[in-house]
Structure formats: structure tokens, C-alpha cells
Amino acid sequence: MRVKPKLKKDIKKKDKFMPARKKICRFCADKIRGVDYKDVKRLEQFIKERGKLVSARISGNCAKHQRRLVEAVKRARFLSLLPYTRV
Ligand SMILES: [Zn+2]
């Protein structure tokens, strides 16, 4: 009987050649200390099409700014500046 190629091994090999791009917190890069809930343009960069928040793991935000971002988005949603959801 023939043995199927090991998938796990192949995936690992592929990962080796993927260059790890360092993500940077965009708030730290722009030297913004607090996150303004009225700054809708900036907040919109961190919400997905359906209105969900983008996780820090994806966006590259640092923990401090991610916490402030979540708070700001919630405030903006309450004031109808940002949507809770989009259909
Ligand atoms: Zn930051």
C-alpha cells in the first residue's frame, strides 16, 4: 500500500519560507496616546466589513492601545458614529 504524503510536514516546511513580518502598533507609530472615539476615520480602520473589531493579533496593536481602541469603538457605537453590525 502506498503511503500518503505527510501534510503536517509540508505545512511546516512552507511556514519556514514565509518571512515573518513585524507588525507595529499604528497608534504608537503615529505617537497618539489616547484613542479618540470621535476619530471615526481612524476607528474604521480597525473594524471589519460586518462591523466587528479586528483583534490585536491581526492588526498588530499593542495591548495598551487595543484596550483604548475597544473602549473608543464601544463609545462611538453608542453615539451611532460606528455601526454595531452591517448586513
Ligand atoms: Zn500602541
Side-chain angles (χ1 to χ4, degrees):
M1 235 173 102
R2 290 194 63 168
V3 186
K4 278 187 183 175
K6 280 179 188 169
L7 257 172
K8 258 189 187 172
K9 204 179 170 185
D10 293 345
I11 290 164
K12 262 188 187 172
K13 245 184 189 172
K14 209 179 174 187
D15 284 343
K16 243 182 192 175
F17 293 105
M18 293 281 270
R21 252 187 68 76
K22 183 106 170 65
K23 286 179 215 154
I24 43 149
C25 173
R26 274 193 257 173
F27 292 101
C28 285
D30 296 347
K31 289 185 179 163
I32 295 167
R33 296 176 92 193
V35 184
D36 188 7
Y37 63 89
K38 289 165 281 175
D39 195 356
V40 181
K41 254 190 183 173
R42 191 177 290 277
L43 296 180
E44 268 181 339
Q45 295 175 345
F46 297 100
I47 60 166
K48 292 185 203 167
E49 198 148 309
R50 296 282 289 193
K52 282 183 133 197
L53 266 157
V54 179
S55 67
R57 200 171 59 85
I58 306 295
S59 65
N61 282 344
C62 68
K64 187 177 88 182
H65 279 120
Q66 183 68 16
R67 279 197 302 270
R68 283 165 199 195
L69 173 74
V70 170
E71 196 67 32
V73 168
K74 283 177 182 173
R75 273 182 196 158
R77 279 177 180 164
F78 181 71
L79 297 169
S80 305
L81 299 172
L82 286 176
Y84 282 97
T85 181
R86 280 195 201 112
V87 185

